[in-house]
Amino acid sequence: MSDFEFIFVLYALVLGLSLVELLAGFGRTLENEFESDADGTRFRFGWLTPLLGAFVLLDLLSFWMFAWTIQSLITVSPSALLGVMIFAASYYLAARLVFPTRPELFEDLDTHYYRVRRTVMGILIALVFAQWAFLYSVEEVRAAVFTPMTLGLTAMLVGMMAATMIVKNRHFQAVLLVALCVRYLVIYLI
């Protein structure tokens, strides 16, 4: 077993649980939507929380892919294991917060979105900075990674994520979340 395989097992396990948490939350919320239709109670699903879920899912996939691209740089050490654990656990926390545990407590799911967006986006921004700090610490990749294009794309990502933490307008929030998702889809398809 290589060093990467040893560490990636932990990383993949916790990121996999993050993915499951997102999907389970979405499922619980859909069930609540169906139940509210059946019994006539009011529940507004909205767009913001599902868009946040889609963005977190795409962001999670980007970090999973990132781990694959840096596999030759990974060595087993207590600090590497701790770093991977903290990183992946932070991702799990962000994913866990996207959908409410009890969606039936909300008439409007956008209320939940406005409660958690700053925390979720703050965690994701911190993970971007952790990723860049790691890349900066590796001399072999520093020059190749720190280009105007990659720095510009990252600044755009962090700027849009930060804007979701500040802006209150629902329509602008939706536009930002769609733009964040489209950014990842374009990068994945190129």
Side-chain angles (χ1 to χ4, degrees):
M1 177 181 282
S2 71
D3 283 5
F4 173 75
E5 291 169 329
F6 180 76
I7 289 182
F8 194 71
V9 168
L10 174 63
Y11 188 70
L13 175 67
V14 180
L15 285 188
L17 290 171
S18 302
L19 181 60
V20 168
E21 191 62 51
L22 275 171
L23 296 173
F26 185 64
R28 277 190 310 272
T29 305
L30 278 177
E31 284 176 353
N32 189 61
E33 171 77 10
F34 298 148
E35 287 172 8
S36 72
D37 284 346
D39 67 14
T41 59
R42 186 181 183 290
F43 177 73
R44 188 171 114 49
F45 197 82
W47 285 96
L48 298 179
T49 300
L51 283 171
L52 178 62
F55 171 68
V56 171
L57 180 105
L58 291 168
D59 196 58
L60 186 148
L61 292 176
S62 78
F63 279 109
W64 209 316
M65 191 66 200
F66 172 73
W68 180 257
T69 61
I70 63 161
Q71 64 180 296
S72 64
L73 305 173
I74 302 298
T75 57
V76 174
S77 70
S79 61
L81 284 172
L82 182 61
V84 164
M85 176 55 195
I86 290 170
F87 191 94
S90 299
Y91 227 111
Y92 179 84
L93 178 60
R96 174 67 189 85
L97 292 174
V98 171
F99 289 97
T101 301
R102 297 179 57 200
E104 68 275 6
L105 298 179
F106 295 88
E107 284 185 19
D108 184 344
L109 200 54
D110 287 350
T111 302
H112 174 74
Y113 170 80
Y114 281 104
R115 288 181 180 165
V116 301
R117 76 181 204 267
R118 288 188 179 113
T119 303
V120 171
M121 288 298 186
I123 291 169
L124 299 183
I125 289 171
L127 294 176
V128 169
F129 284 115
Q131 176 188 33
W132 280 94
F134 170 77
L135 289 170
Y136 188 77
S137 73
V138 181
E139 192 173 331
E140 301 89 39
V141 298
R142 192 178 306 149
V145 172
F146 285 86
T147 66
M149 174 81 142
T150 58
L151 291 173
L153 286 171
T154 302
M156 180 176 73
L157 171 69
V158 171
M160 288 191 299
M161 289 167 66
T164 65
M165 296 171 72
I166 299 165
V167 173
K168 294 182 181 177
N169 181 282
R170 281 180 202 237
H171 299 295
F172 195 59
Q173 284 284 337
V175 168
L176 282 169
L177 290 167
V178 167
L180 284 163
C181 290
V182 167
R183 177 196 173 275
Y184 271 129
L185 290 173
V186 167
I187 289 172
Y188 285 148
L189 297 176
I190 291 179

